[in-house]
Amino acid sequence: MLGDSQATLYAYGYYHQLSSFKVTFGTGSSVMLNLGPKLPANIDNQLNTSLAWSRDGQRQHVLEGNINYAGATITWLKDNLQLITSPSETEALALADSLQDETYLILAFSGLGAPYWLPNIQAAFVGMSRSSGKAELVKAALDSLSYQITDILDEFTHQYGQLDDLIHVDGGMIHNRYLMQSLSDFTQKAITCAATAELSSLGTALNALNLAPETTTKAPEELATLPILLIPNI
């Protein structure tokens, strides 16, 4: 049995490649790095470690940072602030913002999790001006996700070392081109998107089938094609 995030990482076919990692966008967000069979000596408590899976008699470990609000942030924009009527509107709004605006969202509805661990911090829009409007607030909300993911990846690098140059992303928010481009720009890494929405189910099935090799003829990487989607613009 695999956890959802571990199964998603497995589905990519990177069960044997160290330094590979993925970002899943759901209600929250999971950023997970394959550590391999041994935990590095310098891992601290800023991020979570766990057993990923056992394959061919060898255990694999992962390092993970979780963001409490990802898709839930868009729901908040729609239901609470009523800035949008559909999540699909956020891409066009973010692209229409004023380039001079410096509005930021501190995404801390339940404090800040990894890698900050500041439970008493409260959410806030900061840097607003008279020109700040709907587009600027939506853009700030999307950018807040990219900022947090970038900080988690920086912590990965600090604790583990050099990471892959590709970010493997999955989940409903991968269809937001603005978000994917901002993530690429902030992290200075290329973005690849999952070919299927149900990667956790795929990973669980593939891991189980590995116990009976005669039942499958395809490796995981053949089933989850990941075309390069975006590269950094800045």
Side-chain angles (χ1 to χ4, degrees):
M1 181 177 292
L2 297 180
D4 283 348
S5 290
Q6 288 86 345
T8 299
L9 186 64
Y10 190 93
Y12 284 127
Y14 289 99
Y15 46 78
H16 61 288
Q17 293 189 16
L18 306 186
S19 81
S20 61
F21 62 96
K22 63 86 185 174
V23 178
T24 297
F25 290 96
T27 302
S29 181
S30 164
V31 188
M32 182 171 282
L33 169 70
N34 186 357
L35 293 175
K38 294 183 179 180
L39 292 175
N42 63 334
I43 295 295
D44 59 31
N45 60 1
Q46 294 300 104
L47 299 168
N48 300 317
T49 58
S50 65
L51 177 65
W53 55 76
S54 178
R55 187 173 189 269
D56 299 328
Q58 187 176 65
R59 293 182 176 182
Q60 298 288 317
H61 297 85
V62 290
L63 189 63
E64 183 178 21
N66 293 105
I67 298 172
N68 294 330
Y69 286 81
T73 304
I74 307 306
T75 301
W76 173 70
L77 293 176
K78 180 174 73 72
D79 295 345
N80 295 73
L81 298 190
Q82 298 183 357
L83 294 177
I84 56 174
T85 58
S86 169
S88 62
E89 298 172 17
T90 57
E91 179 181 330
L93 282 168
L95 291 170
D97 87 304
S98 169
L99 296 179
Q100 288 73 43
D101 191 82
E102 297 183 350
T103 301
Y104 298 92
L105 172 62
I106 301 173
L107 191 55
F109 297 122
S110 55
L112 285 173
Y116 324 102
W117 302 114
L118 298 170
N120 296 322
I121 293 292
Q122 294 183 320
F125 281 111
V126 297
M128 296 175 65
S129 67
R130 176 65 180 82
S131 63
S132 300
K134 180 191 298 187
E136 288 71 31
L137 297 182
V138 169
K139 176 179 178 292
L142 293 174
D143 284 348
S144 69
L145 301 176
S146 295
Y147 281 123
Q148 289 193 73
I149 291 169
T150 300
D151 287 348
I152 289 174
L153 294 184
D154 286 345
E155 188 65 25
F156 278 177
T157 301
H158 172 70
Q159 295 195 30
Y160 176 79
Q162 186 65 34
L163 303 178
D164 279 358
D165 291 329
L166 293 177
I167 300 179
H168 307 285
V169 296
D170 60 276
M173 298 184 77
I174 66 174
H175 302 294
N176 188 309
R177 290 299 185 98
Y178 173 80
L179 175 60
M180 295 298 100
Q181 186 64 63
S182 73
L183 181 60
S184 179
D185 292 343
F186 290 0
T187 61
Q188 288 295 288
K189 293 182 180 294
I191 301 292
T192 67
C193 289
T196 176
E198 297 299 331
L199 280 186
S200 61
S201 298
L202 176 61
T204 300
L206 289 170
N207 181 261
L209 288 172
N210 184 64
L211 301 177
E214 68 276 7
T215 62
T216 181
T217 59
K218 289 188 176 182
E221 56 266 32
E222 296 180 73
L223 296 174
T225 303
L226 299 170
I228 293 178
L229 175 63
L230 295 168
I231 59 175
N233 275 342
I234 58 174

